[in-house]
Amino acid sequence: RRARLLTSAQLTTAMGERVESAKQYDVTNDPREDTRLRVAFSEAAKAPPIEEEHPEKKSTKKEYHYILDLEMGWKAAAGELAGKGWEDNTGVTVKKNLEIPSEDGKFKIPVDVYTPSEHEPKDTIVHYHGGGMMLLSKDLPVYVRTAKELARAGVRVVLPEFTSALKEPFPRGLHDCYSTAMWAADKYGAVILFGDSGGGNLSFAVALLAKERKTIGKIKGIYTLAPHVWGSYPTTKFPSLVNFKDYGFPYQLLVDITKIYTPDPKDAKSPLAFPAEATVEELKGLPPCVVHVDELDMVTDAATFFYRRLLEAGVKARHITSGGLVHIADLYHGVLPDVAQGMVALVKSFVSSI
């Protein structure tokens, strides 16, 4: 408990020995990692390269083609990570690709809604998928499975397809997410925002935008998993960037996300782009929230830094750490079914508590 009160500089010094020793490990051999994950990553490393060309390569700068290759790899593995039965709709009513108006009214935002079949739920979650605000989609099997399991637990889930930053940078995707939250709140009542990785960023950013626009009352809670809330790289502020460099995805992706999402450097300092930039005053008045991190994850220390700032602002915030896990592995029903079901239970418990 005492270690939690150390400054970032003190933590860097205190963890120096751990930082050096951690360099000998990677995601396939770290003894701290859940054995099932180590096996899965070791097997994935042996898989042949994907030969299919990403459809967006022609419109994307060559220096970012590796990002599209990463997405192809993640999509190829998504069914296995989601687990058998991810397409099963038992107990769930699914409405696909409903269209809601964008903020400016010029286009439509596709939205999926997952509802328990047996009853009309009291609570509604708006789930923003991960992918650094620019990759993956609402249709990825991991997110479909998560939405269905939450619906089976008794919660309505709204899953939007917000605009990728590869197509249009900040703030377009954020505005799509805000529009979805307001639409859901007007239709179903005050909502809970839920997001993993880049979706965690968007969850906090939507809440900050709602506070700015005086609609924060339509959001009654925020649950984030491994939120990517920091955008200033390089930095020596967070030891986890060294301890777990390239675990699950390359460090360079964090650097390039900032460049792609916020091509104007001034935007990268906006709390609406990267919420860890928010002052204590800007965070005051946010609803209860959870910052859930994974032990073996590059973004963990930045997310924990942000959690402490939320506490300083008087926000009712909780911090949870999943031991032995890498970035968002809590959602991998196909590899860690007990952990993934535990994650669903944690989200449902939080929803029921507010």
Side-chain angles (χ1 to χ4, degrees):
R1 292 186 177 182
R2 186 181 304 169
R4 292 185 179 181
L5 302 179
L6 294 176
T7 65
S8 295
Q10 289 172 319
L11 275 170
T12 302
T13 301
M15 298 175 70
E17 183 177 344
R18 179 183 170 192
V19 169
E20 290 302 317
S21 64
K23 292 178 182 177
Q24 64 185 295
Y25 299 125
D26 61 38
V27 76
T28 68
N29 64 12
D30 194 321
R32 296 165 292 186
E33 187 178 8
D34 188 296
T35 304
R36 293 168 292 179
L37 279 176
R38 288 209 309 269
V39 171
F41 281 116
S42 295
E43 291 300 313
K46 300 174 186 176
I50 297 172
E51 297 181 1
E52 184 181 352
E53 187 84 348
H54 195 290
E56 300 293 332
K57 275 195 174 180
K58 291 182 180 179
S59 59
T60 304
K61 290 182 180 179
K62 191 172 182 179
E63 63 186 296
Y64 298 141
H65 281 188
Y66 83 93
I67 297 175
L68 301 181
D69 291 338
L70 284 172
E71 182 178 43
M72 292 292 286
W74 289 332
K75 286 183 174 181
E80 185 175 346
L81 294 177
K84 294 180 179 179
W86 70 267
E87 296 174 290
D88 180 13
N89 289 340
T90 301
V92 183
T93 299
V94 183
K95 294 181 180 180
K96 296 283 290 182
N97 294 317
L98 302 178
E99 293 186 337
I100 67 172
S102 64
E103 188 168 59
D104 58 12
K106 293 181 179 179
F107 64 96
K108 300 293 185 180
I109 304 166
V111 170
D112 297 343
V113 179
Y114 297 80
T115 308
S117 297
E118 300 300 322
H119 68 281
E120 187 70 11
K122 178 173 71 75
D123 297 301
T124 299
I125 286 174
V126 178
H127 181 190
Y128 305 125
H129 69 77
M133 297 80 75
M134 59 184 182
L135 300 175
L136 309 180
S137 78
K138 66 178 176 59
D139 297 318
L140 198 74
V142 167
Y143 297 126
V144 172
R145 176 72 182 265
T146 299
K148 289 178 180 178
E149 295 297 344
L150 284 167
R152 291 182 182 115
V155 182
R156 179 187 294 105
V157 180
V158 175
L159 196 55
E161 192 69 273
F162 53 86
T163 302
S164 163
L166 288 170
K167 296 180 178 178
E168 189 171 331
F170 171 85
R172 169 73 178 271
L174 169 62
H175 287 169
D176 291 354
C177 291
Y178 176 81
S179 295
T180 304
M182 296 301 103
W183 172 83
D186 290 341
K187 188 174 180 65
Y188 304 118
V191 299
I192 297 92
L193 306 182
F194 172 49
D196 61 287
S197 192
N201 170 310
L202 291 164
S203 296
F204 281 117
V206 166
L208 288 168
L209 184 58
K211 180 188 173 185
E212 186 178 291
R213 296 184 177 182
K214 303 187 186 310
T215 56
I216 191 64
K218 294 184 178 184
I219 300 168
K220 63 179 181 178
I222 308 167
Y223 196 113
T224 62
L225 173 63
H228 174 42
V229 292
W230 182 266
S232 298
Y233 299 97
T235 180
T236 58
K237 194 177 182 71
F238 306 118
S240 61
L241 289 171
V242 177
N243 286 342
F244 312 116
K245 185 178 180 181
D246 299 333
Y247 275 42
F249 63 94
Y251 166 81
Q252 186 61 39
L253 180 59
L254 293 176
V255 177
D256 289 335
I257 282 173
T258 300
K259 294 178 183 178
I260 296 169
Y261 189 53
T262 51
D264 184 341
K266 291 181 182 178
D267 284 339
K269 293 297 182 181
S270 167
L272 297 181
F274 292 100
E277 296 288 348
T279 64
V280 169
E281 191 62 32
E282 288 169 324
L283 294 174
K284 287 181 178 178
L286 292 192
C289 60
V290 174
V291 177
H292 187 152
V293 300
D294 295 310
E295 180 188 8
L296 313 177
D297 186 0
M298 285 185 284
V299 306
T300 287
D301 286 350
T304 301
F305 164 84
F306 182 64
Y307 157 75
R308 294 187 180 117
R309 184 161 286 179
L310 287 166
L311 290 182
E312 191 177 351
V315 178
K316 293 181 179 179
R318 291 181 57 203
H319 186 277
I320 299 172
T321 301
S322 289
L325 299 192
V326 299
H327 193 66
I328 73 160
D330 313 68
L331 303 182
Y332 295 169
H333 282 85
V335 181
L336 307 169
D338 53 328
V339 173
Q341 281 301 130
M343 178 74 196
V344 170
L346 284 170
V347 176
K348 178 61 167 66
S349 176
F350 171 71
V351 168
S352 299
S353 73
I354 55 177

